[in-house]
Amino acid sequence: MQGVHMKKAVSGLMLAIASVLPNAGWAQPASWPDRPVKIVVPFQAGSATDLITRQVALVLSRDFGQPFVVEAHPGAAAAIGSSIVARAAPDGYTLLMGGPAAVVTNRFTQKNLGYDPDKFELVSMVAYTPNILLTTPGQPFKTLPEMVAYARAHPGKLTYASFGTGTTSHLAGELLKQATGTDILHVPYKGAGEAIPALLGGQVSLYFDTIMTGLPQVRSGKLVALGMSTAKRSDQAPDIPTIAEQGYPGYDIAPWYGIVAPAGTPEPILDKLNAAINKALQSGELRTKLAEAGAEPYGGSRESFKELIAKEIPRTRKLLEQAGFVDK
């Protein structure tokens, strides 16, 4: 009899283990999060992406009652950090603050990428950073229409800087050339820290810079703003007209920041995160902090995030083809 009881006990134990194993280590949507959540930033600590992510993480930590910890894993134009998240368990405890490079551009600019951008679960757009088209006071033009007229009269003479090939500042220049029918030479730099001095020093004629670093130079009189790259004027610089309203409707391009998760992350967790991020973006405190980082709140549904990416992919490919960076 004792042997029978022992067999039943062992059998019951095995059934209990079997029922637990499939879920071991995986988040149950109802209880998520019940431990710290990691948000990977695929750029350097102190970058705009890092600053924006840290502000969002503070609000989410408070709302969920669990730490949202930001980890920077820079390198390879966001590919290193993106790969880490793509390989992580799809349990809602590892997220990525994605952007144009991680989710869109890298598929065209890097071979052997190490992850599939299409397999990320899109959670929510968070913010975007308006770019300003800048020039120096010494140029023979002071407005966008004057610049376009000059560029058309002197094809190939003007140059524009970017903070790297394939970056939003590069694509903004290519979109400008496409919209205006001008021939302006692209000069890539390794970052804004090199591009701004090149513009100030007269090595290049134009530069699309983020509002955070570009606007102070405009306010000081060292640089001239020709237009904003976004569809609407920036709340931080309402006096600077958009490129679109100066005769180029539809011109709209800017760095953006959005939370994505590994493929297979449960839908209830994704929905829960989306709702929390959108709620956080209504906070006056977060909106102020984003403005300090040169960003403006975005938000929206998971579906609207998918629609944005669906539009960005073909446009980015076309611009890179135009620049001769990818084959047609």
Side-chain angles (χ1 to χ4, degrees):
M1 289 295 293
Q2 186 174 2
V4 172
H5 289 309
M6 181 64 73
K7 285 181 181 180
K8 287 183 177 180
V10 171
S11 177
L13 178 62
M14 292 303 290
L15 286 171
I17 292 173
S19 67
V20 171
L21 276 178
N23 299 312
W26 301 92
Q28 297 305 300
S31 63
W32 181 93
D34 58 8
R35 55 188 170 88
V37 177
K38 177 169 64 179
I39 307 179
V40 171
V41 169
F43 297 102
Q44 291 180 338
S47 64
T49 307
D50 181 65
L51 295 174
I52 290 166
T53 306
R54 290 184 185 280
Q55 295 305 327
V56 173
L58 283 173
V59 179
L60 293 179
S61 297
R62 190 166 59 222
D63 288 353
F64 280 114
Q66 290 289 344
F68 278 67
V69 182
V70 179
E71 286 188 8
H73 291 277
I80 291 176
S82 301
S83 295
I84 289 171
V85 175
R87 294 193 300 265
D91 55 8
Y93 290 99
T94 305
L95 308 170
L96 175 73
M97 182 60 88
V103 184
V104 180
T105 313
N106 282 350
R107 71 183 68 218
F108 302 121
T109 59
Q110 294 193 43
K111 294 180 179 179
N112 304 316
L113 188 54
Y115 70 97
D116 184 349
D118 290 327
K119 290 187 177 179
F120 281 128
E121 304 287 358
L122 304 180
V123 178
S124 178
M125 287 289 290
V126 173
Y128 66 96
T129 309
N131 277 355
I132 316 176
L133 177 58
L134 301 170
T135 191
T136 51
Q139 292 291 343
F141 45 82
K142 304 296 181 189
T143 66
L144 181 66
E146 290 175 356
M147 186 279 288
V148 172
Y150 184 88
R152 287 173 177 167
H154 304 84
K157 184 172 182 179
L158 295 182
T159 55
Y160 78 93
S162 78
F163 41 82
T165 300
T167 62
T168 309
S169 64
H170 172 206
L171 298 178
E174 292 302 314
L175 186 60
L176 182 69
K177 289 163 59 178
Q178 182 185 94
T180 60
T182 52
D183 179 13
I184 305 173
L185 179 66
H186 173 226
V187 182
Y189 289 88
K190 292 182 179 179
E194 293 184 5
I196 279 280
L199 180 62
L200 290 168
Q203 282 84 48
V204 290
S205 318
L206 305 161
Y207 172 46
F208 277 96
D209 194 19
T210 61
I211 196 169
M212 181 169 59
T213 53
L215 190 58
Q217 301 282 357
V218 173
R219 299 296 188 227
S220 70
K222 293 180 180 178
L223 293 174
V224 176
L226 299 179
M228 300 299 301
S229 71
T230 42
K232 69 179 186 70
R233 296 194 184 197
S234 168
D235 294 339
Q236 300 170 57
D239 56 317
I240 300 176
T242 67
I243 291 172
E245 70 185 84
Q246 296 183 76
Y248 306 99
Y251 189 99
D252 182 18
I253 186 168
W256 51 263
Y257 313 87
I259 294 291
V260 304
T265 301
E267 293 279 329
I269 291 176
L270 301 175
D271 291 337
K272 199 172 182 180
L273 258 175
N274 176 272
I277 290 168
N278 277 280
K279 178 186 174 184
L281 290 172
Q282 300 305 312
S283 158
E285 175 191 1
L286 180 56
R287 295 173 81 91
T288 298
K289 292 295 185 181
L290 288 176
E292 290 173 359
E296 299 192 16
Y298 203 120
S301 66
R302 290 176 54 211
E303 193 58 39
S304 66
F305 194 178
K306 292 175 184 176
E307 290 171 0
L308 180 142
I309 298 302
K311 292 177 182 178
E312 284 285 289
I313 291 170
R315 182 175 76 159
T316 298
R317 182 180 181 89
K318 184 176 180 180
L319 292 173
L320 289 170
E321 288 173 352
Q322 175 182 309
F325 203 72
V326 296
D327 295 331
K328 293 185 179 182

